[in-house]
Each structure stands twice: as C-alpha cells, then as structure tokens.
Amino acid sequence: MDTRPKVSSLLNRMANYTNLTQGAKEHEEAENITEGKKKPTKTMLTAISMSAIATNGVVPAGGSYFMISRALGPEFGGAVGLCFYLGTTFAAAMYILGAIEIFLVYIVPRAAIFRSDDALKESAAMLNNMRVYGTAFLVLMVLVVFIGVRYVNKFASLFLACVIVSILAIYAGAIKSSFAPPHFPVCMLGNRTLSSRHIDTCSKTKEINNMTVPSRLWGFFCNSSQFFNATCDEYFVHNNLTSIQGIPGLASGVITENLWSNYLPKGEIIEKPSAKSSDVLGSLNHEYVLVDITTSFTLLVGIFFPSVTGIMAGSNRSGDLKDAQKSIPIGTILAILTTSFVYLSNVVLFGACIEGVVLRDKFGDAVKGNLVVGTLSWPSPWVIVIGSFFSTCGAGLQSLTGAPRLLQAIAKDNIIPFLRVFGHSKANGEPTWALLLTAAIAELGILIASLDLVAPILSMFFLMCYLFVNLACALQTLLRTPNWRPRFRYYHWALSFMGMSICLALMFISSWYYAIVAMVIAGMIYKYIEYQGAEKEWGDGIRGLSLSAARFALLRLEEGPPHTKNWRPQLLVLLKLDEDLHVKHPRLLTFASQLKAGKGLTIVGSVIVGNFLENYGEALAAEQTIKHLMEAEKVKGFCQLVVAAKLREGISHLIQSCGLGGMKHNTVVMGWPNGWRQSEDARAWKTFIGTVRVTTAAHLALLVAKNISFFPSNVEQFSEGNIDVWWIVHDGGMLMLLPFLLKQHKVWRKCSIRIFTVAQLEDNSIQMKKDLATFLYHLRIEAEVEVVEMHDSDISAYTYERTLMMEQRSQMLRHMRLSKTERDREAQLVKDRNSMLRLTSIGSDEDEETETYQEKVHMTWTKDKYMASRGQKAKSMEGFQDLLNMRPDQSNVRRMHTAVKLNEVIVNKSHEAKLVLLNMPGPPRNPEGDENYMEFLEVLTEGLERVLLVRGGGSEVITIYS
C-alpha cells in the first residue's frame, strides 16, 4: 500500500508549519516585539547577510545558531553557537551591572551597603555593592523569565516606552541649550580641570565676615596651610582659577574643539586646550581630574561595542516569532537604521553642546558626580536616569530570555552530548534547565563586577557570531547551491565578505589577546564536536565547498600521472563475505590501515553473487557491515559493493571501475586462498589466479597476504623483530617501499628491515652487497643487506619469465658504480636492448608489460653481458617451451626443485621474521598450468608465519632523487 501523503495534506501541513518549539503555549498571548535597541551601522552588513539566510527557509528556534549550523555544519554551528550563547549570557551580566551602577550612583546612593572614606578603597567598596545588588537583581529577573515569555514581553513594552521618552528628552534639552543652556559650572586652574567633590568655591580666597581668607583649594595646593605666606604649588601660584560652563549649549561653537580625537594615557590631567595657562609644570595634585585608564581607539571600540550588540536579539527568539522569515529581516534592519540615527545624532549633539573636559570626565568628578546627559535633557534629569535604568533592565531581561533558548536549541540538536540535559523544558516549552545554567554563568560575570573587564569578553563572542553569519551567506552565494533561494534580494557575497573582514578586524582592534582566547575556545569546541562525531547532515555549505574542492582536485589529478616521488599505494582491498554477509578476513583491513597510516586512498570492495534487483537489500546490509568494520579498524576510505552473476566478473568490475578520475587505486590487496588443496571446488583458486591476471592486465601492483589471520592487530606492537625482504627481481621498488611504509605505523615501528638478494654463481657477491647498500643509502632507507648465493638451476624455474628482470636488478646495482661517461656510452644501447627483449620473450602474459617496463626504468644492459648469457637464455627458453608442449613431468620437477630450494634458503634465514616480503611471479599464459603455479607458490612460502607476495605494476615507485 502506498503510504505517501496526499498533496493536499502535505500542502496544508507546509502552509501551517509552526516553529514554536519553545514558549508555544504563550505565543498566541504574547505580542511579538522586535527588539529596536542598540544596533549600530557597522553591523548593517551582518544584518543584510542574516536577512538573506533568515528568508531562505523556515527558521525555528535557535536563531543565529540555527542559521550558522545549517549553513556551515554542526561543528561550526556548535562552536559559534556556544560562543554566542556565552556572549549573550555575559551581556545579561553587563546590563545588570549597568542597572546597579545607575541605581547606586544616581537613584539611591544611600542604599550602598559597603562604604569607605578612603578614596583608594572607595572603588573596591563600590564593586562589592554591585556584586550584592547584582545578584539580587539577577535572581529577580530569572524569576520573571521563569514565569514565562509573556511577562517579559509586557515588561518590554514599558521599558521601550521609557527609552523613547529618554531619547526625546535629550533632543529637547539640546534644542533648549541653544538659547537657555543649563547652569553647569566646571572649575579650572589654568587649563586644568579640578575635581569639585571637595571644594566649596572655585577661587583661591573667600570672604568671611568681611575678611579675606584662604579657600579650601588653597589648603590643597599649599601643604594644607591656611596662611597666605605658605609655600604653594608653582602651577597654582602662576595660574588663575576660572569657572566655565560645562554645557555651553548648541550655539556655543564648542564642537570645533571636540571634533578631533585626543587620546590620553592613564594618570594624565584632563585639560582644556583653548584655555590660558602658564608654562610651568607644578606637582601632580589629587584634586585634578585625571584619566583613569589609558585610552585608545581600540579600547573604546571594545568598551562601546557591547552596547550595540542587539542585532541578534530578535533572531535569538526566532522560535517565539509568528513569522520569523518576515520579522527578522524587517525588524533587524529597521532597528539598526533607527538606533544608528539615534546614536550618531546624539554623538553630534553631545559634541556640540558639552565641553570636552566634561565628556572626558568618566566619573563626573568635575561636576560633583552629576549625570551630564541628565543635566542636558529637558524637562528633568530624572527622565534620563529612570530611562537608562529601565533600558538596562530590559536589555538584561531580553538576554536572559534569548540565551536559554539558544542553549536549548543546541542541546536538542544533540551535537554536544553533555549538554543534552539542557534540551528539556517545562510543559509550556520554557527551557528551565538552560535558564538555570544561564543564571549561574551570568552570576560569574556579576562577581567580576567590572564593566570594563566584562565588555571585551562578550564583544569577542558577538563579533565571532557576526563573522560566521557573513561567512555563511557568502559561502552559500558563491557555491550557488540549488536550495539557496532567499526572499531577501538585497545582498551580495562581496558585502558579506566585507562584513566578515570588518568583524575580524574589530576583534583584534578591540583586544587581540581576548580575540585569541575566543578563537581558542571556539576551536576547542569545534574539535570536540568533530571528535564526538556529530552525525548530522544538514546540507551545509561546508559540504558543498568540499564537493567543489574535490572536483577541482580531481580535475587537477587528471592532468597527468603522479611523479615517482609522489607515488604511494592507493589500495583496493578485496574482501570476501560469508553466507551471513560477514567479512571472512577482517585482518586484511587491519593490515591495510597499518600500511596506509591514514594517508592516500583506500577503497574496500566486495562482490555479492546474484541479481542486483533481488540482492540490493543484501548489498546495502553488507556495505554497512564493512563500513562499521572500517570504522573499528580505523580505515579511512570508501566502500564499494558490486552485485554480479559471477564472482570473477564482479572482481573484474571492481578493479576496472573503482575510483574517480585521477583518484583511482594503483594497488590491489587480497588474501591467499587458504585450503585450496583440500577444497573440492576449484573455483576459489581459479578466481584468485583470474584476479592476478586482471590486475596484471590493468598494470596495477598486487599484494597477496598469506596467513592473514596471523597478522598483528592494531593494538599489538612488536617490541623487536625483523621485516625481511627477498629481492629476487626488480619490481619498480615496491619491495623497498612497503616495509618503509609499514614502519610508519606503531605496530611495526620497532622492527628492523633486512633485505636479501639472490646472486648467481657468476655474480660478484661482495660487490653486489656494496652496490645494494649504496642504493639503499641513496633511497634514504635504513636496512641490513645480505646476499645469498644460489645455483642457476635452483632458481631457473622461478625466473623463467623474469630472467631479464633479474638482469635489470644486477645492472641497476652496477649502474651505481658507472661514471658519467660510461652511462652516456651505454645509453646508446637502449634501442638494441629493446629489440633483444622482444627476441627473448618467454610466451607468458607479461610480454607487453616487460617491454613497457623496460622503457620506464633507467638502467643499462651491456652487449658483453648479453652475448655471454645468450646461450644460457636459449637453454632456458628451450626448457620452458618443453613445458608449453605438454611435458608436465619435467616442468613440475624443475618448478618444485626451485620452490623447495628457495624455500629452504628463505626459511633458514627468515623463520623468525615478523613479516616476509617476496616477489610474486606471474601466472603462465596457458591456463592448464594454473594448478602447478598455485603449487609452486604454496611450496615457496611453506613454513613461514606471515608472508606478503608482491607484484609490481610496471612503473617505478621509488627514486633516489629529492
């Protein structure tokens, strides 16, 4: 029965889709309020990118985290999402601290619990007050959020009204100051600003009972003396005291002095440049208004930026918005435009109405601690005080509302296992556990108590989030993914890149060390998620980018074959499955992982005999089984299953078609057919020989592991032992390269390499050993060398089809001793050599391979050697032709003689070796000799625990050159 949904019901569900995973029950009762506070023009580029992402499909709970994770993947989404969560949480702490500062300094100063008459300890007492009251405010706000988002929205309406009234009061006060500026005196000594907290009058003397007496300022600058003949500060003596208007008004022209920046170091006296002053230094008196911190553009950006980070306030509550796709872009952009106008206009108005010395006076020392903006506003300073207090309270509530929802969205995606508990919520959808964790982290920020220390921390987290929002938009646009169809059209990848660059620059401009710390935190979260293996497929842009990069790399690989220096075994591992679709020899995968050490290409292939239509399910099940085994054995690669009518055809298809473009296998790995002698079914070993023939025809290297069940697992480590290489014929260097690659793995790392080579009676064994040692030295391979002498008849059958290959090996070693002149002379014989190779063809299936191979290797074959060996080769050819002419008794005897003799020597030398590598001769052309060929290999390797038969692919795989 077809269970697919009807089109009508599908359309109905899509049209009425709701993303209310949090606060769902209260959503219908709550009015959606788009946050319109504290958003600067610098973040407009991020708002454009966010609008494009938000309108490219439904945005459920999670806001910015959802956008980034679905665009860049779970690793980036989780890392940036958690950082943004921490930033939002610390922002709540910052807003609460701001509210407490306004409360204790301007509203109810007497409410301070901790006090100190010592000016040095006064700031510490203030921090303690902020910790106590901040904790109380945090608990109160958490209770409001815990009750529900409906009440937060109702409070938000009140707070927004207070903010609007405060802004209007500032504009009204600025206009009024142009014709009636407020009385706001500032006492100046010369051009230096004096603190008004401890002075009674801005003069050196005062009248008491018609008598002129020194003022309190006199005592401060004259060693606490109240006599006119006292010794006073030089600067105090030569300069006059004047009182200037701290707010001269809009028509005063003070903007000309405030137009340019003037950053001061810590401890510098705040001065008015245009005021008259005598050119004397004087002493540094504590009655001057001093700069409390070294100021710079970067510092001010870091402190100011958190006040304009509300761009994500609406997106954080995307789960509570009725139509997030519509609300987020419109609300965010309009809020940025509105607040940008408010911010910029206020900056201009303050510069045009207020003296620079007052603007630089951070704590209001020159104006008796009065709120400067409150004094400027109309009709009353209390409008600004109350408005600022409720504004910070509202911002804190919004942060405590958005942060838990963001954490809950991350937890529900289950990409960070230990956060899973925070995905739970109340019956009405409120994230209770996430709220409690948010409150605990916010309390840490409150305990820090210093706004200047908290602000740069959260600036980094916000900027990082904005950076990745821009990156996500740019990446999706450039990749042109089919699903990238945002309704918001006013975006461009260049704008996103510009926004990303500005965010990165601001991170390091604000505080380079905080930026590094934030990046390290995000990197650790990224690696943790990657390590845990977040199996999420969200169609993210990183995957699309990987596909584009893979396509580019594959096209580059198609330009030509790899250079010998870059050659490494790209494996096709052929596995055999039993009736239950389990792998018969899993150690073959283990050996592949040890040989590759995670580098290069590994394809694991297998064949299921049958019909594809009937066995498709079995193929999928087998593929999953192999993938799990690959994961267990730490094999990084791909799995390829083929369903074929015959096993040999399936293996042939794998060898021919696996890989893509230039990323194809060059080496086939398979196991030896154990028990082939006892098997009544000859198909197993015939399939083996057929695979060898197909591999040879494809010019691929072949590795056959015998006794694979005795090979070590990845947890075993040999503390000592040898890897023995029996180099009988030259195969392009495979026998030299393989033990070197194995030693890169921890299992084989402590093993030593020994290389044995077989010399005939006419060879100079001593010189041959020296030549081989020199050759290995140039290959940068550390190995012990040993030459084993054997009679020609003992190895003749082994080398029927490799006689010329053996000659190559000897000539290559001799080539190491030839001078340049000799090499040039012998290079002239290449043409003759090739023609002789054709004459000495032995009728095997390697005729073409031998000719091709001889053209690729760089070595010589002298005429003298050829003439001397002609008679011997003719005799060998005659013997082999006897074999082809159906004289099995003679050929079997010769082959078994060779196998037994070689086996005796190998077992004698290598019976304790951890692994023995041997040249693997190719099968005969005539299939009637296949069983003899199998018997030959069986006898050759008898008595050895672990054997790897190696057959080169016909090309050089190792070089002496750098």
Side-chain angles (χ1 to χ4, degrees):
M1 181 179 177
D2 193 348
T3 59
R4 290 176 294 179
K6 294 181 180 180
V7 175
S8 58
S9 61
L10 177 65
L11 291 176
N12 181 265
R13 285 203 300 269
M14 294 298 293
N16 295 285
Y17 174 82
T18 176
N19 55 4
L20 305 181
T21 59
Q22 300 152 357
K25 290 186 176 181
E26 297 173 326
H27 180 272
E28 295 180 359
E29 302 175 12
E31 291 294 328
N32 297 316
I33 299 177
T34 302
E35 299 306 315
K37 297 178 291 186
K38 304 187 176 179
K39 301 183 176 82
T41 49
K42 288 184 178 179
T43 53
M44 176 59 80
L45 296 176
T46 304
I48 292 174
S49 300
M50 186 178 68
S51 299
I53 299 174
T55 57
N56 189 55
V58 176
V59 181
S64 56
Y65 158 73
F66 180 87
M67 299 178 199
I68 295 173
S69 61
R70 269 53 176 184
L72 299 179
E75 294 86 1
F76 279 110
V80 179
L82 268 184
C83 288
F84 185 58
Y85 163 75
L86 292 175
T88 306
T89 304
F90 273 105
M94 185 193 70
Y95 293 135
I96 292 173
L97 290 175
I100 297 303
E101 185 172 352
I102 295 171
F103 177 76
L104 292 178
V105 175
Y106 301 110
I107 300 178
V108 190
R110 296 180 180 179
I113 301 173
F114 303 94
R115 300 177 183 275
S116 177
D117 296 330
D118 189 345
L120 298 177
K121 297 181 180 180
E122 185 179 355
S123 60
M126 182 62 178
L127 293 179
N128 289 329
N129 286 317
M130 294 180 70
R131 292 184 179 103
V132 173
Y133 279 99
T135 302
F137 267 57
L138 175 63
V139 171
L140 182 62
M141 289 185 178
V142 167
L143 288 176
V144 173
V145 176
F146 180 79
I147 294 173
V149 68
R150 175 179 54 181
Y151 299 98
V152 174
N153 287 341
K154 289 183 177 181
F155 276 115
S157 302
L158 172 64
F159 297 151
L160 181 60
C162 293
V163 170
I164 293 174
V165 171
S166 300
I167 292 172
L168 295 177
I170 294 174
Y171 288 127
I175 295 173
K176 179 178 178 291
S177 70
S178 61
F179 55 87
H183 180 67
F184 202 58
V186 176
C187 188
M188 306 289 297
L189 177 62
N191 66 348
R192 298 179 180 179
T193 309
L194 294 177
S195 174
S196 60
R197 292 185 183 272
H198 303 104
I199 62 175
D200 50 354
T201 180
C202 187
S203 63
K204 296 180 181 180
T205 61
K206 60 181 179 179
E207 296 288 334
I208 298 179
N209 299 326
N210 296 323
M211 293 180 61
T212 302
V213 297
S215 66
R216 185 179 296 182
L217 268 176
W218 183 280
F220 291 145
F221 286 93
C222 300
N223 300 320
S224 301
S225 174
Q226 294 297 319
F227 299 98
F228 288 115
N229 59 354
T231 302
C232 297
D233 179 76
E234 187 178 7
Y235 189 86
F236 180 77
V237 172
H238 291 85
N239 288 277
N240 295 324
L241 284 166
T242 58
S243 180
I244 65 171
Q245 279 294 334
I247 304 179
L250 197 60
S252 64
V254 73
I255 192 172
T256 57
E257 291 185 9
N258 296 331
L259 193 59
W260 310 110
S261 60
N262 183 20
Y263 302 116
L264 300 176
K266 181 179 180 179
E268 188 82 7
I269 301 173
I270 297 178
E271 300 177 345
K272 179 177 172 62
S274 62
K276 294 181 179 180
S277 174
S278 298
D279 191 17
V280 291
L281 185 60
S283 61
L284 188 63
N285 193 292
H286 69 275
E287 290 305 315
Y288 292 125
V289 179
L290 306 178
V291 178
D292 73 311
I293 188 173
T294 300
T295 55
S296 63
F297 175 76
T298 58
L299 177 73
L300 296 180
V301 168
I303 295 175
F304 174 74
F305 187 79
S307 66
V308 293
T309 53
I311 179 177
M312 296 292 186
S315 67
N316 285 349
R317 294 174 56 187
S318 56
D320 297 314
L321 297 176
K322 188 175 183 179
D323 187 355
Q325 292 189 61
K326 181 179 179 181
S327 301
I328 290 177
I330 296 176
T332 301
I333 292 177
L334 288 179
I336 288 177
L337 292 175
T338 303
T339 53
S340 296
F341 170 77
V342 172
Y343 283 134
L344 293 176
S345 60
N346 274 271
V347 168
V348 173
L349 288 177
F350 292 163
C353 298
I354 305 172
E355 279 284 355
V357 293
V358 176
L359 292 173
R360 293 188 180 95
D361 184 6
K362 178 179 176 181
F363 299 106
D365 291 330
V367 291
K368 298 183 179 180
N370 289 317
L371 187 63
V372 177
V373 180
T375 305
L376 174 64
S377 64
W378 182 87
S380 169
W382 284 102
V383 175
I384 300 299
V385 172
I386 295 175
S388 300
F389 177 76
F390 282 124
S391 173
T392 51
C393 289
L397 274 177
Q398 297 299 336
S399 297
L400 290 174
T401 303
R405 283 160 167 73
L406 180 59
L407 179 62
Q408 187 184 44
I410 298 173
K412 282 191 173 182
D413 277 339
N414 198 24
I415 58 175
I416 303 177
F418 66 84
L419 292 181
R420 192 177 298 121
V421 65
F422 299 107
H424 301 302
S425 59
K426 295 193 301 182
N428 61 1
E430 288 297 322
T432 307
W433 291 106
L435 177 60
L436 293 177
L437 178 63
T438 302
I441 298 175
E443 176 63 17
L444 294 178
I446 289 174
L447 292 178
I448 295 175
S450 173
L451 287 174
D452 293 345
L453 291 177
V454 174
I457 299 174
L458 60 95
S459 293
M460 297 303 112
F461 292 143
F462 280 123
L463 282 169
M464 188 176 295
C465 181
Y466 301 163
L467 185 152
F468 279 96
V469 168
N470 283 295
L471 176 61
C473 180
L475 191 63
Q476 297 277 38
T477 306
L478 289 176
L479 290 176
R480 298 179 180 177
T481 53
N483 190 55
W484 180 244
R485 303 184 301 273
R487 290 191 180 93
F488 185 82
R489 299 294 183 183
Y490 307 102
Y491 70 93
H492 193 272
W493 65 265
L495 295 177
S496 298
F497 267 112
M498 187 185 303
M500 183 177 67
S501 303
I502 292 175
C503 289
L504 185 63
L506 281 176
M507 287 180 68
F508 285 91
I509 287 174
S510 301
S511 176
W512 64 268
Y513 43 89
Y514 276 124
I516 293 175
V517 170
M519 288 182 173
V520 169
I521 293 174
M524 292 172 63
I525 299 173
Y526 179 97
K527 295 305 293 184
Y528 174 79
I529 297 173
E530 186 180 55
Y531 173 77
Q532 289 293 328
E535 297 180 1
K536 300 290 183 181
E537 176 51 58
W538 291 327
D540 53 88
I542 293 297
R543 185 173 179 84
L545 183 63
S546 300
L547 290 173
S548 298
R551 172 182 172 274
F552 175 79
L554 286 172
L555 291 175
R556 289 291 302 272
L557 288 174
E558 281 285 281
E559 295 178 2
H563 193 274
T564 303
K565 291 187 292 186
N566 297 328
W567 195 96
R568 66 167 61 245
Q570 315 288 8
L571 304 182
L572 170 59
V573 183
L574 298 178
L575 296 181
K576 191 173 183 180
L577 303 176
D578 59 18
E579 296 178 354
D580 297 326
L581 302 180
H582 294 148
V583 177
K584 280 190 174 182
H585 302 296
R587 284 292 169 88
L588 204 60
L589 271 183
T590 308
F591 174 72
S593 69
Q594 295 167 4
L595 182 62
K596 298 294 292 180
K599 303 296 189 297
L601 173 69
T602 302
I603 303 174
V604 181
S606 189
V607 179
I608 294 179
V609 179
N611 182 277
F612 179 75
L613 297 178
E614 298 174 357
N615 299 96
Y616 177 70
E618 293 183 12
L620 290 180
E623 184 175 356
Q624 290 302 316
T625 300
I626 294 177
K627 285 183 177 179
H628 290 153
L629 183 60
M630 291 173 65
E631 185 178 351
E633 296 294 340
K634 298 181 179 179
V635 176
K636 298 180 179 179
F638 309 97
C639 179
Q640 183 72 49
L641 261 293
V642 170
V643 180
K646 295 182 179 180
L647 181 61
R648 292 178 63 176
E649 290 181 1
I651 293 176
S652 178
H653 293 160
L654 284 174
I655 293 175
Q656 293 179 62
S657 61
C658 279
L660 179 64
M663 200 66 174
K664 295 179 69 69
H665 57 280
N666 55 29
T667 305
V668 176
V669 181
M670 60 189 302
W672 175 263
N674 295 320
W676 67 272
R677 287 169 169 170
Q678 293 78 23
S679 175
E680 297 180 358
D681 189 358
R683 286 181 297 179
W685 62 266
K686 286 185 177 293
T687 299
F688 172 80
I689 295 180
T691 304
V692 176
R693 285 197 171 99
V694 172
T695 303
T696 302
H699 296 283
L700 302 175
L702 176 64
L703 306 180
V704 179
K706 189 177 181 187
N707 301 329
I708 186 63
S709 59
F710 295 116
F711 277 58
S713 66
N714 283 327
V715 296
E716 301 177 45
Q717 295 187 32
F718 293 126
S719 58
E720 58 182 359
N722 299 310
I723 300 175
D724 286 356
V725 178
W726 284 84
W727 191 39
I728 302 174
V729 295
H730 182 56
D731 58 356
M734 280 284 288
L735 282 173
M736 307 292 185
L737 184 61
L738 291 176
F740 169 79
L741 294 176
L742 281 174
K743 276 177 63 65
Q744 307 306 306
H745 196 275
K746 62 181 180 180
V747 172
W748 306 92
R749 187 165 296 148
K750 294 183 180 180
C751 292
S752 302
I753 301 175
R754 297 192 303 181
I755 297 181
F756 298 89
T757 186
V758 178
Q760 302 178 41
L761 294 181
E762 68 270 18
D763 290 328
N764 186 338
S765 300
I766 297 176
Q767 187 61 50
M768 197 172 179
K769 183 174 182 179
K770 292 181 180 178
D771 295 342
L772 181 55
T774 304
F775 181 52
L776 291 174
Y777 172 78
H778 287 296
L779 289 178
R780 289 91 65 199
I781 294 178
E782 296 182 4
E784 181 184 339
V785 175
E786 187 170 339
V787 178
V788 178
E789 293 185 351
M790 296 186 68
H791 195 274
D792 292 356
S793 62
D794 291 343
I795 60 172
S796 60
Y798 187 93
T799 58
Y800 268 150
E801 56 181 328
R802 293 275 182 137
T803 301
L804 300 182
M805 293 291 196
M806 284 194 64
E807 188 60 34
Q808 279 187 359
R809 183 206 62 188
S810 301
Q811 291 295 334
M812 183 175 66
L813 295 178
R814 272 195 289 275
H815 181 73
M816 302 297 296
R817 306 195 306 274
L818 291 178
S819 66
K820 183 179 185 302
T821 305
E822 291 172 321
R823 290 198 299 269
D824 293 342
R825 187 188 311 122
E826 297 214 356
Q828 303 299 323
L829 302 177
V830 172
K831 184 176 181 181
D832 295 337
R833 178 193 66 193
N834 289 337
S835 62
M836 286 184 283
L837 287 173
R838 288 191 292 272
L839 290 173
T840 54
S841 174
I842 59 178
S844 74
D845 62 346
E846 286 200 300
D847 294 344
E848 296 179 3
E849 177 193 340
T850 304
E851 291 182 20
T852 305
Y853 182 84
Q854 291 292 338
E855 293 174 0
K856 293 183 179 179
V857 295
H858 302 285
M859 57 192 323
T860 58
W861 190 31
T862 64
K863 285 187 176 180
D864 295 339
K865 183 65 180 176
Y866 169 69
M867 297 301 295
S869 60
R870 174 186 270 178
Q872 175 186 347
K873 290 174 183 175
K875 184 176 180 181
S876 299
M877 286 299 300
E878 180 182 352
F880 195 81
Q881 288 299 325
D882 289 342
L883 171 65
L884 298 179
N885 292 330
M886 301 304 294
R887 295 166 62 182
D889 294 339
Q890 179 181 352
S891 65
N892 285 347
V893 169
R894 296 187 66 179
R895 283 184 179 274
M896 289 307 104
H897 175 77
T898 297
V900 169
K901 287 295 182 179
L902 267 175
N903 179 260
E904 287 178 358
V905 175
I906 294 172
V907 170
N908 181 50
K909 297 286 186 180
S910 304
H911 65 281
E912 293 183 352
K914 302 302 182 184
L915 180 65
V916 177
L917 283 78
L918 276 168
N919 287 114
M920 179 180 179
R925 177 186 292 272
N926 191 341
E928 294 182 3
D930 286 354
E931 190 170 1
N932 294 332
Y933 172 75
M934 293 292 294
E935 192 68 36
F936 173 81
L937 294 178
E938 188 72 61
V939 174
L940 179 66
T941 57
E942 208 165 33
L944 299 174
E945 185 178 14
R946 303 181 191 92
V947 181
L948 186 66
L949 296 170
V950 181
R951 183 167 175 78
S955 61
E956 288 291 335
V957 302
I958 197 168
T959 178
I960 64 174
Y961 301 105
S962 61

